[in-house]
Amino acid sequence: MPANFRYPIDVATISIQDTLQNWSIPAYRIHAPIPSNEGEGTIIYYGNKPQYASWTHKLLGHVIEPLPVGKFSLLQILRGRNKTLAADISLCPLNPLTLPLYASRGWHIIPLFVNCRINLNKPITEIITSKGAKDDLRIARRIGYQFTLLRNDKAIHEFFHQMLIPTVKTRHEDRAFLSKWENIEHTYQNGFLIGAYLGDHWIGAILLALESADTVRIANIGWRNGDITWLKKGVVTALYNQSFIWAQENNFKYVNLGSSNPFVNDGPLNFKLKLGANLVTPDSEIEHGQTHMMNYFVGIKINLASPIAQSMLASTPLLEYRENKLRAIGWNAEIPPLFRRQIDLGIEWINLADAPTTD
C-alpha cells in the first residue's frame, strides 16, 4: 500500500492500541523548592518516569526522584477532580488520538524534543553568523585543526570509549543518557565519522548519520576524555562547521543538528541556534513501513493562577506545538538573544501573563 494511504491507517491503528494499553497509567509526584526561592512547587508526571528527568532538572534546578501516588485512568486525568493530582504543573504522554482531547481541555501540547536544521542553500560562510560562533571559529583556525574522514572499526571504537562517553558524562552528569555501543556501531556502518586533529593527536570527532537522500543528521559528537578545555579551544564549533562543509560538498541540502529539549533557554538548543539552525516543526514519519514518533508529544497542564507555576514559566519558557506550528510560551519571560532570530522567522512569542484565563 502506498505510504500516503498507509500513513493515516497506521496512525489511527497504533493510536487506538496505545490508548487502550495505557488507559490507566501511573502517576508520580514531586514537591520541592523552586530555584527562585519563592516557595515549593508540585509537579505530577504520568507514565514513564525517565522521559521527565530533564523537566525536573530544568524546573526545579536538580534531579529529584518522583514518588508514586497511584494509577489513574484517562478520564480521571482529563477531569482533574482528584485532589491527589493537584499540582502547579502536570505532564502526560500523548498520541495522535489523545492529543486533541487534552488540547480541548486546556492542556498545552509540548514536543518531547525539537529538531534543529541547517539549510545548505547558501555559502558556508553565510550560515554561521552569530558573534559567539564566529569567535569560536577564529580560535579554531588560529590553533590549526586538521580534519579527516575516518573509515575503520578501530576509529569508531576509540571514539565511543575515549571521546563520546566521557564527553556525555562530563556535560550532563547525573542526567546523562549514554548511547549504546550497538547503536553507535550501526550508525557508523551507514554514516560518516569526521575527526579533528592537532598534528598526529586525535582531539575529537563528529558522527553523521544518513537521514534521507538530501539530509544528514549529527548523531554524536565527542572529544578526548571529555576535557572541557577543548570547548574553549573551539573544536566543537569547528567540527560542526566541517560537517556543514562536507555535507555541502557531497550535495546534501540539509544538516539535522539533532534533537534538543523543548526549553527556550536550553543550553544545547541555543548552541545549535548559534550555529545558524532553524527549529523544525515535529511530525510523524514513516520509515521502512513503520510509523515512528507516535508518543512524541506530552500534554502539560499549567495552573496559571499559581505563583509557583508562573515563576517556573518565567525562568523556563517552553516550545509549544499548536496549529501545526511551534510557538514559545512563558510568563513575563525574557527572550534569549539567540532565540530572537527564530521570532524573526515566524515563531510566535506568547506571554501567558497577558491572557492567563483564556489561553
Side-chain angles (χ1 to χ4, degrees):
M1 182 183 294
N4 60 329
F5 289 104
R6 188 179 70 245
Y7 174 75
I9 297 174
D10 287 348
V11 168
T13 301
I14 298 175
S15 296
I16 292 171
Q17 291 174 347
D18 180 76
T19 302
L20 293 176
Q21 291 171 1
N22 296 285
W23 184 258
S24 292
I25 55 178
Y28 303 89
R29 184 174 183 266
I30 290 178
H31 187 74
I34 61 175
S36 62
N37 296 319
E38 296 178 23
E40 295 188 336
T42 300
I43 304 173
I44 294 287
Y45 296 133
Y46 296 100
N48 187 19
K49 287 191 294 181
Q51 66 184 322
Y52 299 123
S54 59
W55 284 83
T56 304
H57 188 273
K58 197 67 178 177
L59 294 175
L60 298 177
H62 57 285
V63 175
I64 304 171
E65 182 63 24
L67 299 177
V69 294
K71 293 187 73 173
F72 300 88
S73 70
L74 170 66
L75 292 179
Q76 288 176 307
I77 297 170
L78 282 172
R79 287 171 179 164
R81 297 172 183 170
N82 193 315
K83 293 183 179 180
T84 304
L85 302 180
D88 299 294
I89 288 180
S90 305
L91 291 100
C92 186
L94 305 176
N95 62 46
L97 179 63
T98 57
L99 189 152
L101 294 175
Y102 281 79
S104 68
R105 293 296 187 103
W107 290 61
H108 297 269
I109 310 305
I110 310 293
L112 277 174
F113 302 99
V114 291
N115 282 325
C116 297
R117 189 171 67 185
I118 295 288
N119 192 326
L120 299 173
N121 65 351
K122 52 188 174 182
I124 296 297
T125 54
E126 296 179 15
I127 291 176
I128 297 180
T129 58
S130 73
K131 181 181 182 302
K134 285 183 174 181
D135 288 344
D136 289 344
L137 289 177
R138 275 192 286 269
I139 293 171
R141 292 189 189 101
R142 188 165 62 246
I143 291 174
Y145 298 112
Q146 302 93 41
F147 303 94
T148 186
L149 191 65
L150 302 169
R151 293 301 305 174
N152 63 78
D153 293 341
K154 181 181 177 182
I156 190 62
H157 195 273
E158 182 176 345
F159 167 70
F160 178 76
H161 290 285
Q162 298 185 29
M163 298 181 187
L164 177 59
I165 295 301
T167 296
V168 172
K169 287 182 175 179
T170 299
R171 293 182 68 190
H172 301 289
E173 299 177 341
D174 53 2
R175 294 175 291 121
F177 177 79
L178 301 179
S179 300
K180 295 181 179 179
W181 162 247
E182 295 79 9
N183 295 337
I184 298 300
E185 186 179 35
H186 175 73
T187 299
Y188 176 67
Q189 289 172 355
N190 300 285
F192 314 91
L193 184 68
I194 299 174
Y197 286 79
L198 268 181
D200 295 330
H201 186 41
W202 186 12
I203 303 301
I206 191 165
L207 179 61
L208 310 181
L210 185 62
E211 185 168 281
S212 67
D214 62 3
T215 305
V216 288
R217 174 175 55 85
I218 305 295
N220 301 94
I221 187 170
W223 47 92
R224 183 69 62 180
N225 301 322
D227 186 349
I228 61 173
T229 303
W230 295 113
L231 278 172
K232 300 175 184 178
K233 293 183 177 180
V235 73
V236 175
T237 303
L239 277 167
Y240 274 99
N241 188 65
Q242 189 64 30
S243 71
F244 303 162
I245 294 172
W246 179 89
Q248 192 177 71
E249 289 177 346
N250 286 272
N251 300 314
F252 290 97
K253 296 180 180 178
Y254 305 101
V255 177
N256 182 353
L257 299 189
S259 58
S260 297
N261 288 313
F263 313 125
V264 171
N265 54 7
D266 182 63
L269 171 64
N270 278 269
F271 175 77
K272 294 167 186 176
L273 298 182
K274 184 173 79 169
L275 295 175
N278 296 329
L279 293 170
V280 181
T281 302
D283 199 1
S284 295
E285 297 175 346
I286 292 181
E287 182 181 357
H288 305 305
Q290 299 292 324
T291 304
H292 297 280
M293 300 163 61
M294 294 300 296
N295 296 107
Y296 192 75
F297 298 94
V298 292
I300 176 169
K301 183 179 181 181
I302 307 169
N303 180 6
L304 290 177
S306 161
I308 298 298
Q310 295 170 9
S311 179
M312 289 179 176
L313 285 176
S315 61
T316 308
L318 305 172
L319 287 168
E320 180 183 26
Y321 185 65
R322 183 161 174 163
E323 297 178 351
N324 299 319
K325 296 185 293 185
L326 287 172
R327 69 176 195 170
I329 59 172
W331 187 279
N332 293 329
E334 294 184 9
I335 302 174
L338 289 170
F339 196 82
R340 292 186 179 277
R341 177 171 166 271
Q342 304 304 308
I343 296 175
D344 294 339
L345 292 172
I347 289 184
E348 285 187 277
W349 183 273
I350 304 298
N351 183 9
L352 295 179
D354 291 339
T357 60
T358 58
D359 198 285

